[in-house]
Amino acid sequence: MSANTITITDNRTGKQYEIPVENGTIKAVDLRQIKTAADDFGLMTYDPAFMNTASCKSRITFIDGDKGILEYRGYPIDQLAEKSTYLEVAYLLLNGELPTEPQLKDWTWNITHHTFINENIKKVMDGFHYNAHPMGMFLSTLGALSTFYPDAKQIFDTDCRQKQIYRLIAKVPTIAAFAFRHGIGMQYAYPDNGLSYEGNFLNMMFKTTELQYQPNPVLERALNVLFILHADHEQNCSTNAMRSIGSAQTDPFSSMAGAAAALYGPLHGGANEMVLRMLKEIGSIDKVPAYIKRVKAGEFRLMGFGHRVYKNYDPRARIIKQIADEVFEVTGKDPLLDLALELERIALEDEYFVKRKLYPNVDFYSGIIYRAMRFPVDMFPVLFAIPRTSGWLAQWVEMLEDADQKIARPRQIYLGQRTREYLTLDERPAENKSAAGAWTFTQSQE
Ligand code: ACO
């Protein structure tokens, strides 16, 4: 019997099975041989929300949730945040190594020269209502872009794939800024290829009448760090969506529209927006204890707290807290920061949060910095999506090149009725009819 195996005894049949253990996992399909009869389908695992299931092998991002460690391709996040740039990190995520000087030059040139979007895409964006949420516009525009680039369907042509990667990383800030300006009724500001990736984004967001927008270097650098921190986070909800949609060999624009939709949710990338709304609702420091009491009573969750993987301080939250001071020196301090710090202090001392290992996550402080930089609250999830583009694409490429991957298609445990005889309208029991009647009534009320 090999040491790297596990022996399972099926008490239903008394049979024993030796299952290989590799990388601390067993293959779920190896359980299929465990049957009670020849026509039995075989044992499956039940794991809604993937609480204990690895969906892939990856070499991109490492997280140790208990120790609060995050690394991209082996480089600790704090070193990257301190020394690198977002575009360099995007290259690292996609290619596995930091670029050499000529590689970085070529990469930057290509990203910079794909920042414009087709004028007809502008018309698509113009069609949105004046108060459309920018994240709704962002994800819809990504889907629309797929129709402008039919070549993107050639996902196994590596040159063509590389072109879509340039396009997506280059165009997401443009789409994001245009969505913002549509909402405030300002003419779109076109990309300025003389600026850095972050500087150009600030230009497209905030340029008014100046001939050339000059980004504040401190804010440009802070945005750069925030982009690095948000670039990837292994198999989170939106990345799982990107891989899952991509596994059907869908083009990357459409796959990314789905990933962005997942990110939009308040339990994921929409949390930073919810944190700001929560802090505003609390209003002042003296109201914090009462708010925490309501959280503990289960009325609602403390937004920006807790994480599926981190059961320790989110390392990204720590770095964000540090750059907040630099930003506030330029913008002036946001009073919501004191409120957030007090909320964190009380929560971290409270038995409820300690027992459940609930710590501030990346979203707890990012919104306060974004607000100080004059980004409106509904742009926060979009600000998350811009840098996450490189992570989604890196994970998508890894999935495409992984021989183990096939179309993602989970199993289910079917607990519903089986093989019933069809009932005509007259034969159906009375309670079914009244349920249908109630539905008609509700419809007519709208
Ligand atoms: N406030 C209060 N209680 C919480 C919170 C919170 N923010 N998060 C978790 N809990 C409690 C749950 O009620 C549960 O308690 P119980 O055991 O008494 O039932 C326990 O902690 C475990 O929570 P789960 O929901 O099982 O944890 P899960 O891993 O499924 O959820 C999640 C993780 C979604 C992030 C959750 O912590 C949450 O809703 N946080 C608030 C939203 C948020 O900040 N999301 C951003 C995440 S980071 C990101 O996506 C970028």
Side-chain angles (χ1 to χ4, degrees):
M1 197 177 291
S2 158
N4 286 329
T5 60
I6 186 164
T7 303
I8 297 177
T9 306
D10 186 347
N11 294 326
R12 299 170 302 173
T13 58
K15 282 193 194 160
Q16 284 202 331
Y17 302 85
E18 196 184 338
I19 311 257
V21 177
E22 196 190 331
N23 301 314
T25 56
I26 57 165
K27 285 195 180 127
V29 285
D30 283 346
L31 300 176
R32 195 72 86 65
Q33 59 187 300
I34 304 177
K35 298 180 178 199
T36 50
D39 62 350
D40 179 1
F41 181 78
L43 202 65
M44 292 194 295
T45 55
Y46 175 57
D47 191 10
F50 300 107
M51 294 294 286
N52 196 36
T53 295
S55 63
C56 62
K57 293 175 184 161
S58 184
R59 292 180 168 79
I60 300 173
T61 292
F62 172 79
I63 300 175
D64 184 328
D66 292 328
K67 297 198 182 109
I69 294 173
L70 170 61
E71 294 172 359
Y72 296 158
R73 300 282 190 183
Y75 291 102
I77 192 67
D78 48 329
Q79 287 189 31
L80 293 170
E82 190 193 330
K83 298 179 182 155
S84 194
T85 63
Y86 168 67
L87 276 194
E88 206 179 45
V89 166
Y91 183 98
L92 170 72
L93 288 169
L94 277 145
N95 298 287
E97 295 297 338
L98 287 164
T100 60
E101 206 178 327
Q103 283 168 337
L104 182 61
K105 216 169 146 196
D106 180 63
W107 171 248
T108 309
W109 191 92
N110 275 301
I111 301 287
T112 309
H113 287 82
H114 282 94
T115 48
F116 277 69
I117 55 175
N118 189 298
E119 287 293 299
N120 284 331
I121 269 287
K122 247 175 56 184
K123 290 186 202 153
V124 172
M125 300 186 82
D126 282 339
F128 281 92
H129 206 41
Y130 72 93
N131 61 356
H133 194 292
M135 191 63 173
M137 288 183 70
F138 179 83
L139 68 93
S140 312
T141 307
L142 280 175
L145 268 186
S146 72
T147 66
F148 287 72
Y149 302 114
D151 58 326
K153 288 187 167 48
Q154 295 162 39
I155 54 169
F156 293 112
D157 175 332
T158 48
D159 289 342
C160 186
R161 196 158 74 198
Q162 187 62 26
K163 197 169 188 184
Q164 314 316 323
I165 290 170
Y166 294 140
R167 282 176 172 155
L168 273 160
I169 295 178
K171 290 180 202 311
V172 284
T174 315
I175 299 168
F178 281 20
F180 163 69
R181 289 176 84 108
H182 173 80
I184 56 167
M186 261 180 101
Q187 85 281 17
Y188 303 124
Y190 280 76
D192 181 342
N193 289 353
L195 296 173
S196 71
Y197 188 80
E198 299 75 22
N200 172 49
F201 177 53
L202 292 170
N203 155 65
M204 292 187 290
M205 285 287 298
F206 301 122
K207 182 176 183 213
T208 52
T209 56
E210 57 275 57
L211 279 181
Q212 202 194 19
Y213 179 86
Q214 296 297 337
N216 180 299
V218 175
L219 303 188
E220 193 179 355
R221 174 68 197 154
L223 198 56
N224 182 55
V225 173
L226 285 158
F227 279 3
I228 291 172
L229 299 183
H230 286 88
D232 194 51
H233 212 232
E234 51 117 311
Q235 306 313 312
N236 55 85
C237 179
S238 56
T239 300
N240 182 56
M242 182 81 191
R243 280 182 174 258
S244 182
I245 300 169
S247 76
Q249 301 188 355
T250 306
D251 72 86
F253 293 92
S254 306
S255 300
M256 238 182 75
L263 190 72
Y264 195 2
L267 296 188
H268 189 15
N272 49 15
E273 183 177 349
M274 302 309 283
V275 170
L276 241 284
R277 295 195 194 285
M278 174 187 76
L279 292 173
K280 280 193 198 159
E281 191 195 325
I282 298 173
S284 58
I285 288 183
D286 56 306
K287 304 225 174 70
V288 170
Y291 195 85
I292 297 261
K293 210 168 157 191
R294 292 176 68 193
V295 169
K296 283 161 58 178
E299 275 188 55
F300 37 71
R301 290 190 167 200
L302 193 57
M303 298 313 288
F305 258 72
H307 200 276
R308 170 64 56 81
V309 180
Y310 292 119
K311 301 300 167 198
N312 199 327
Y313 215 98
D314 183 335
R316 300 168 299 174
R318 205 186 301 279
I319 298 167
I320 290 182
K321 237 169 124 178
Q322 285 160 7
I323 58 164
D325 292 334
E326 294 164 31
V327 169
F328 292 148
E329 266 185 38
V330 176
T331 62
K333 194 170 152 195
D334 187 331
L336 287 185
L337 180 68
D338 287 335
L339 190 57
L341 287 168
E342 181 64 2
L343 198 57
E344 178 191 325
R345 190 189 66 76
I346 295 186
L348 292 186
E349 282 175 0
D350 194 292
E351 166 71 10
Y352 175 96
F353 294 89
V354 174
K355 204 172 106 198
R356 290 170 179 79
K357 298 189 175 166
L358 299 171
Y359 290 86
N361 58 50
V362 67
D363 288 323
F364 193 65
Y365 289 105
S366 61
I368 301 174
I369 302 185
Y370 289 144
R371 196 170 97 118
M373 291 170 81
R374 293 205 295 125
F375 289 108
V377 175
D378 57 8
M379 276 298 285
F380 294 178
V382 185
L383 285 158
F384 195 151
I386 294 171
R388 185 52 60 88
T389 297
S390 56
W392 286 330
L393 290 168
Q395 300 273 350
W396 170 71
V397 170
E398 188 176 62
M399 182 270 303
L400 289 178
E401 291 180 348
D402 181 351
D404 284 353
Q405 293 291 340
K406 290 173 176 228
I407 185 165
R409 205 306 187 181
R411 296 274 173 183
Q412 64 167 6
I413 302 170
Y414 180 70
L415 299 176
Q417 309 215 38
R418 288 289 321 277
T419 329
R420 298 201 282 169
E421 207 58 47
Y422 179 79
L423 299 177
T424 63
L425 209 49
D426 292 342
E427 290 167 340
R428 289 172 208 169
E431 56 273 23
N432 281 6
K433 281 181 196 157
S434 66
W439 180 78
T440 314
F441 176 75
T442 318
Q443 289 284 317
S444 66
Q445 297 302 297
E446 286 174 353

